[in-house]
Each structure stands twice: as C-alpha cells, then as structure tokens.
Amino acid sequence: MSTTEASSPGRTKYRFEDVAPDTLAGRFMRQFWQPISLASAIEPGKARPVHAFGESFTLYRTEDGAVHLTEFRCPHRRTQLSTGWVEPDGIRCMYHGWKFGTDGQCKEVPGEDNANYIKRISLKTYPVQEYLGLIFAWLGGGEPPAMPRYTAFEKAGYLDVTTYFRDCNHFQNIENGIDEVHVNFTHSVGVFGTSGLNEEVPQVQAEQTSYGLVAKGIRSDGRVRDTQFLMPNILMLKLPATAEGETDWRNYISWRIPVTETLHMAFIVQGIAVSGDDIGKFVAAREAEAAEIAKLPSFKEVSLKVMAGEISMTDVPLRPDITGIQDYVTQVGQGEIVDRSQEHLGRSDIAIVLLRRLWENELRLLEQGQPLTQWRVPDMLAPSKGL
Ligand code: FES
Ligand SMILES: [Fe+2]
C-alpha cells in the first residue's frame, strides 16, 4: 500500500479541533461531564477564573465547601466576577458591588431601589460536581445526565491528582494517548526507556468497545500493553507500581480538555495502592520531586529551546518530568493545530484511524439531530499481559 492510499482512512470532513459552543465538535464535547479544575485549586471563600472549551467562567467555593460555576463577567458593566468577594450565599462584584446568589439571581444592587429591575438580572450558572479531586462541569445546557463514576479510583489508597498545559490543540494529545509506537521513539529516554517496553516496535491493534476503543501494543514475546480510550477524550490505563510500598499496579485516568483551539490542559488522576505510613512517604516523595522540578528551567522553556534548535533533545538531562517535555516537543511540534490533510498514515496508526471514525460517527449523528451513542464506563483493565 502506498503512503497516499494509507493516508485516506484518517481523513474526515469534520473539524475535531473546534471547541466553541457553536461548533459541532464543541457541542459534542459538551454532551459529557468534563473536568475544568483541580478541586485543590479553589479554597472556601475564594473565586478564580477558569478558561475551558473556548469560553471563560467564574469558579468559586462558598465557605460551606460547595463549588459554583457561573458566567465570567458581571452583567452590570462586564468586569471579571472572579475578582469580587465570595459571600456565604453567593458572590459580589468588585466593581460596583452587585451581589448574585449561588443560583445566579441578582440579589442586591447598591444604590438601586427598583426591585423589579434587580429581579430581571441573573447570571448563567452551570451544574458542577466535585469528584476524584477534580471539579466536573456540565456545559451542555438542559438537565445533565448522571455523572459517570470511575469506581476503581474510589477505592485507591491515595489519589494523585495533577494537571498540565500544552500549547497545541487538545485533539493532538487525545490521539497521542493511543499512539503506542510513539513510546519507542519519543520516550526512548526516561521511565519508558527503562521499562522494557521499548525493546522492539510493537504491532498495533485496535478494537471498538462499549466505551470507545482499546489499543493494543503487541510484542513478539507475547507481552501486550493495552490502552483504553473512553469517548470522547479520556485515556485510562495501568502503570507499573514504582514507589515504595505500592502493592499493586497504578490506575491512571486522564482527560484532555481544550482551553482554546491552540492550548489545552490535561487532568490526571492516579489511584495509588498505598496504605498506612506509605501514604505519607508517597506524598513526601512527590513533594521532593516537585521541589526538584521547581529548581530547573520550566518544561516549556526547555521544550521550546529544543524546538528552536538551541539545544537537542539528547542535551536535556534526565529529570522527573522528562516524559512531559518529550510529549510537548512532538505534539506542539505538529503545529498548534496539525494539518491532517497533509498526513500520511501507516499501519501503526490503526488506533488513530479508529478513533477518528468513532468521533466522525458521533459528529454525524449530532449534525443530523439523532441520538448519540451511549458509552459505558469500563472496568479497569487487568495489568497488561507480561509487563
Ligand atoms: S461591573 Fe459588576 S457591579 Fe458593576
Ligand atoms: Fe507520550
């Protein structure tokens, strides 16, 4: 098969990279509960801006611990609401003190005595839920469906919850998650380099499932690494235990969330099988790692130097976040939004072709006003065979 023929299966008439609410892909992503913040990023009595899916919002937490998501700007004269004061039952704008209840209803307009006018003003609010150390939002309008539960993570001894930003379209990272062959090259150095995974380029297979797809990296000695992809933007896999006191494989789940079309974030939850004193040791090791990274040039600075040709990837010393640097360089290296019309896909891109087909099918259903596929939450896979 020539490379030109091989490229056609990955072609699609739809723009997966769109994020705004008036685009097909943007509407599709809003048909799912999506994480928009770390729960730890918002303390009681505080508000902050959140940028996601090409929109901006105000996230705040009242003193009772409940989180609330509303419009970004004050309806009065449009300043940023997150700069205001969180009150026990709502938020007050910093500019002229207009007060809004947690249901979004305007409650007070200093200097205004027309109660009917006040009653007519409200903020748009969005359903939110705190779960697994993240704040999930429903941005799809109307009555939200029940939020999916990922029970394997509810049982973990310790939940390690992290986030990062990457300066390219989220769909590039969605595709990367099921790209088994990139591990051999992009991650030839670092944890994957020493895991035994990279001794040979695996044969790639992909199967559609009730949740999305499973991608398999099959090695000649029978070892297989499975990666579960949950529609529309979730990666779920097992990672070997590496920390002291870890008694089982790690459960890993990650959401790729657009901020704008050219910037995205990932939210990662790892269920770590530790208990007792080992929890404290794990947290201390994580903190030591973070302190080590904080002393180094940022991952973005290093990545951009590699991309500018100022240093080469082989000059980058091993560091705890080397995997993130490697992925940044290859994904941002595709361009802010990859031009898929210029790609030439091969046999090893079979999982990516399947992923695009699943997305294409859903976007077509949405376009035609038909019901979308009801995806399930899968059980965690057993640890990949032989790894
Ligand atoms: S802009 Fe918010 S109260 Fe005036
Ligand atoms: Fe990677």
Side-chain angles (χ1 to χ4, degrees), residues 178 180 202-207 213-218 225-227 347-348 350-351 354:
I178 50 166
E180 186 70 10
Q203 199 217 331
V204 178
Q205 284 184 6
E207 286 161 24
L213 66 88
V214 60
K216 293 174 179 293
I218 302 164
R225 193 171 93 107
D226 289 341
T227 304
R347 174 70 185 71
S348 65
I350 196 166
L354 178 55

Side-chain angles (χ1 to χ4, degrees), residues 155-319:
K155 294 179 214 137
Y158 179 75
L159 277 189
D160 185 57
V161 188
T162 52
T163 184
Y164 65 78
F165 286 90
R166 193 165 287 160
D167 300 82
C168 63
N169 187 262
H170 61 290
F171 211 85
Q172 281 154 237
N173 203 358
I174 289 178
E175 292 183 334
N176 176 263
I178 50 166
D179 184 338
E180 186 70 10
V181 171
H182 97 281
V183 178
N184 289 65
F185 297 91
T186 308
H187 305 303
S188 54
V189 173
V191 280
F192 287 105
T194 52
S195 68
L197 265 181
N198 288 349
E199 285 157 11
E200 62 179 310
V201 175
Q203 199 217 331
V204 178
Q205 284 184 6
E207 286 161 24
Q208 188 173 338
T209 63
S210 59
Y211 52 83
L213 66 88
V214 60
K216 293 174 179 293
I218 302 164
R219 275 80 186 169
S220 57
D221 59 2
R223 294 181 307 162
V224 182
R225 193 171 93 107
D226 289 341
T227 304
Q228 292 172 303
F229 174 76
L230 283 57
M231 286 288 280
N233 60 335
I234 304 173
L235 190 63
M236 199 161 123
L237 43 84
K238 287 273 188 186
L239 289 173
T242 48
E244 194 188 331
E246 257 186 289
T247 55
D248 200 354
W249 287 64
R250 282 184 190 189
N251 292 331
Y252 170 105
I253 188 166
S254 169
W255 288 258
R256 316 304 201 201
I257 303 293
V259 178
T260 64
E261 280 184 15
T262 55
L263 172 69
H264 73 275
M265 51 194 169
F267 292 107
I268 300 143
V269 178
Q270 291 189 63
I272 314 282
V274 280
S275 56
D277 290 350
D278 289 325
I279 296 178
K281 281 187 206 157
F282 182 85
V283 174
R286 278 304 239 182
E287 282 168 1
E289 200 177 276
E292 185 188 339
I293 292 169
K295 280 190 228 135
L296 299 167
S298 76
F299 76 90
K300 182 169 168 177
E301 199 181 326
V302 174
S303 304
L304 293 179
K305 275 191 177 161
V306 174
M307 292 172 69
E310 290 168 31
I311 55 172
S312 82
M313 200 62 218
T314 46
D315 297 331
V316 179
L318 261 188
R319 47 187 278 177

